[in-house]
Amino acid sequence: MSAARALKRLASDWPKDPIRPHLQFGELLEYIAESTPADKISTRTIGAVKALEGNELMKKYPISPKMRSPASFPQHYDRLILSHKNALQGKSRSFLQVLFGIYK
C-alpha cells in the first residue's frame, strides 16, 4: 500500500470533532495525502499518525497524578472534562454560573 493511500485511510478513520465541525484533523491528513508527492510521505509520518490514533505516547509517558491535579487548582482538569461533556450534549452555563464558578 502506498504511503498516500495509507494516510488517506487513516484520515477517513479519524474520529470527527463535534465541538469544532469546521476544523477536522482527518481533513488535514487527507489534504496532505492529496497535495504532497507520494515519495515525500515517509513511513515515519504514517507511524506518527498511527501513534496519535492509538494514544501510544500517553501509554509510553504517563502523566503523574500530581500533574493532573495542580496544587493551585486541583479540580481544573475535572472541570475541563465536565465542560467538554456538557458542550457535547449542547448544555451551557448561564452568565452568573460562569461568573461565580458554578459547575453542574
Side-chain angles (χ1 to χ4, degrees):
M1 180 185 306
S2 73
R5 201 169 340 150
L7 197 56
K8 280 187 179 182
R9 185 184 56 75
L10 286 167
S12 66
D13 292 343
W14 202 268
K16 302 288 184 211
D17 184 358
I19 300 292
R20 293 175 297 240
H22 62 283
L23 186 64
Q24 298 294 327
F25 189 66
E27 291 176 8
L28 172 69
L29 293 176
E30 193 169 322
Y31 174 77
I32 291 170
E34 291 172 356
S35 63
T36 307
D39 59 333
K40 296 288 184 185
I41 301 174
S42 68
T43 54
R44 287 181 60 194
T45 303
I46 304 299
V49 173
K50 285 181 181 178
L52 279 175
E53 186 180 40
N55 286 332
E56 290 177 22
L57 295 176
M58 189 89 153
K59 295 170 189 169
K60 187 174 180 180
Y61 303 105
I63 298 172
S64 71
K66 195 172 184 179
M67 181 76 131
R68 281 184 260 152
S69 298
S72 61
F73 191 29
Q75 61 273 56
H76 173 72
Y77 292 108
D78 295 333
R79 287 185 176 176
L80 190 65
I81 290 169
L82 179 65
S83 296
H84 187 264
K85 287 179 182 178
N86 287 340
L88 288 175
Q89 295 172 357
K91 298 178 186 175
S92 62
R93 297 185 302 152
S94 70
F95 172 75
L96 290 176
Q97 287 174 325
V98 172
L99 183 66
F100 293 115
I102 299 170
Y103 288 83
K104 289 185 180 181

